[in-house]
Structures are given as C-alpha cells and as structure tokens.
Amino acid sequence: MKIPKKHPRSKSLIERHKIEEGMKKGIVTPTGMIAQGRGEAFDYLLGERTIAPAQKAIKAAAALLLLAKFPVISVNGNTTVLCGNETVALAKSLGCEIEVNLFYRSQKREKLIEKEFQRSGVGILGVNPKKKLKGISSKRAMVDAKGIWKSDCVLVMLEDGDRTEVLRKNGKKVVAIDLNPLSRTAKKGNITIIDNCTRAVPLLTKEIRKLKKKNDSELRRIIKGFNNNKNLRQCVNCIKKGV
Ligand code: PTJ
C-alpha cells in the first residue's frame, strides 16, 4: 500500500498499513482488522488527538503504575505492530515485564510476537504459559507465573471486556487503553485512557519519567483525585461536542 507523505490522514493510513502487514506475517489475527476499524471510527470522533480527559487519565495511570509493586504490560497482535517499540520504552521507564496474552492464542503467534520484541532488544513473558486465571473460558486465561500471575497491576490495550473483569476479580488493578469510552473494558478498568495506543503509550512514558520524582503520598493524591466514571463521561461529552 502506498502511503502519501504529507497527507493529513497519513497517520491512520500508516497504522492501517502496519495492521495489514502484521496480518500477512501472522502476528495480527484477522479479527484484529475489525478491531482496527472500530478504533479508527472512534479516533475519528475524538478528532484523532489526545483529549484533555485522556491527559488526566494518563497522569493517574502513571501514578498507579509507579505505586504498583509488580506492574506488567500485556500485549496482543495489534499492539505489537502498532506500538511495540513504544511499549518497550514504557516497560523500561517502569522497569517492568511485557507479557504476550492472545485471544486467538497459538504457539506460532506467541513466538512471532516474541521475535518482534527480541528485535527491539527485549525478551517477553507469556510464551507457553502454565498458570490459569479463574473465571475466563478463553485461552486468555493462561498467564505466565513470572508475569501477570504475580502482578498487582496490569496495563491492557485493545482488549475485550471479559479479561479486564477477570483481572479485577483476580485482585489486580487494571489500567486500560481503549478508544471506545462505552466499551466494557473502559468501564471495568480502574483507570481507562481513552486514546489511541500509538499516542497514549509514549505520553504515558513521558508522564512516568516526570512523576518518578514524586513521593508515594503525592502519587496517591493524584489517584484519589481521579474518578474513572466521571472521566469516561467527559470523554463521551468530547465526542458529542465534536459531532
Ligand atoms: O491478538 P489477539 O489474538 O489477542 O486478538 C486481539 C483482538 C484485537 C482480536 C481482540 O482484542 C478484540 O477483538 O478486540 P475488540 O473486542 O475488537 O476490542 C478492541 C477495542 O480496542 C475496541 O473498543 C476498539 O475501539 C479499541 N481499539 C482499536 N484500535 C485501537 C483501540 N484502542 C486504542 N488504540 C487503538 N489503536
């Protein structure tokens, strides 16, 4: 696919191209194309920018991740191709593990995703995992003993609602990145960032670097001042205003 250099919509075209290429390689599942389409529709409604409520959520999410004892970043096919390098930078800023967790799980895809991250110089968890989370029937239940299993806070992006709910039921805090403020994931997360993962992940890294200098009570104050439901309503209002 030819991508015009300075076309105003070239960012979404580049993302679409990455998903297409990822699917050809077997990293992205065919359903990942549908997820991309949904994402593009919401991103369009949000003006393809990081809205003010999302900025606030990013700050609260950074505080929550910094306070966590063992945070883990969960990746799937779409997020690997859309923001793999940015995810590595985020994990480095937090000093945390990255774990692959797939809805359409296969060893072939796990290994392809592992290879992608190895190209960026990091190893990942979740390849052939042995532990099983309670309350979920899909293969998403399988998690790594050294990662999500023992984590206290998980960052999920481009997720289905079931998993966020299950992670919560298993005692984990969840930071979610989702473009749809009405999705189950958005509603079930402790802190939900309504933004494109391609913008949100680098902004989260920046915020983490900034907040690292703060002490725990300052970080707790930031989290206390954040209300996820209220923030989601503000995101819906941003969409309404734009329409
Ligand atoms: O790689 P696998 O096997 O784990 O498969 C993952 C898919 C993508 C199939 C799975 O997570 C899925 O079906 O996702 P959904 O249910 O389509 O949900 C995706 C959500 O992410 C929707 O609410 C989309 O609006 C949102 N979304 C799509 N693209 C982006 C996004 N959110 C943030 N950034 C995006 N780029």
Side-chain angles (χ1 to χ4, degrees):
M1 190 173 121
K2 209 169 162 230
I3 300 165
K5 268 196 180 133
K6 280 202 171 159
H7 191 280
R9 296 188 55 76
S10 58
K11 263 194 187 157
S12 61
L13 283 179
I14 290 167
E15 285 165 20
R16 202 179 295 173
H17 182 69
K18 283 182 177 174
I19 293 285
E20 277 179 13
E21 291 302 307
M23 210 197 89
K24 282 182 204 155
K25 287 186 200 164
I27 295 171
V28 174
T29 181
T31 316
M33 308 245 328
I34 300 170
Q36 171 69 14
R38 281 188 205 169
E40 275 185 28
F42 278 101
D43 209 6
Y44 185 73
L45 292 171
L46 290 164
E48 292 175 343
R49 73 207 151 99
T50 303
I51 54 174
Q55 285 283 5
K56 205 173 170 203
I58 286 169
K59 189 171 179 182
L64 192 69
L65 288 163
L66 280 168
L67 279 173
K69 288 198 170 59
F70 196 84
V72 172
I73 303 171
S74 180
V75 292
N76 61 18
N78 287 50
T79 53
T80 298
V81 300
L82 286 176
C83 57
N85 288 334
E86 293 79 0
T87 300
V88 170
L90 175 62
K92 283 186 179 162
S93 76
L94 272 172
C96 79
E97 299 286 353
I98 298 171
E99 178 165 338
V100 55
N101 184 284
L102 302 175
F103 187 78
Y104 298 99
R105 193 183 273 281
S106 71
Q107 273 212 7
K108 190 179 166 217
R109 284 187 69 218
E110 281 172 1
K111 286 213 180 311
L112 282 170
I113 290 171
E114 184 182 40
K115 235 190 207 165
E116 279 301 297
F117 281 93
Q118 280 168 347
R119 263 195 215 121
S120 308
V122 296
I124 58 165
L125 300 172
V127 178
N128 205 7
K130 299 282 184 284
K131 290 283 185 187
K132 193 172 182 191
L133 290 177
K134 277 188 215 139
I136 189 161
S137 51
S138 78
K139 290 182 180 169
R140 282 216 149 152
M142 300 312 292
V143 291
D144 201 305
K146 293 183 195 139
I148 291 173
W149 181 256
K150 68 168 193 175
S151 71
D152 56 345
C153 185
V154 186
L155 169 68
V156 300
M157 316 178 240
L158 258 130
E159 277 278 351
D160 60 285
D162 280 2
R163 180 144 174 268
T164 305
E165 208 168 353
V166 163
L167 288 169
R168 293 286 307 268
K169 279 189 187 147
N170 280 267
K172 327 253 175 229
K173 295 241 162 68
V174 177
V175 171
I177 301 176
D178 192 324
L179 277 160
N180 178 1
L182 303 168
S183 77
R184 228 152 30 102
T185 299
K187 289 178 188 162
K188 296 286 175 189
N190 292 83
I191 296 175
T192 307
I193 302 164
I194 301 299
D195 199 8
N196 196 323
C197 61
T198 57
R199 293 189 298 268
V201 172
L203 287 172
L204 190 53
T205 307
K206 207 169 147 193
E207 197 62 43
I208 282 166
R209 289 191 185 131
K210 217 158 85 187
L211 292 188
K212 258 183 184 170
K213 295 163 202 142
K214 307 265 182 205
N215 61 38
D216 284 6
S217 60
E218 283 176 283
L219 295 177
R220 275 193 210 98
R221 200 162 349 107
I222 293 169
I223 296 166
K224 224 176 152 196
F226 182 83
N227 178 319
N228 205 47
N229 288 333
K230 189 177 157 196
N231 194 274
L232 291 178
R233 281 196 297 276
Q234 288 170 346
C235 291
V236 172
N237 283 337
C238 282
I239 292 177
K240 280 187 190 162
K241 272 186 210 155
V243 174

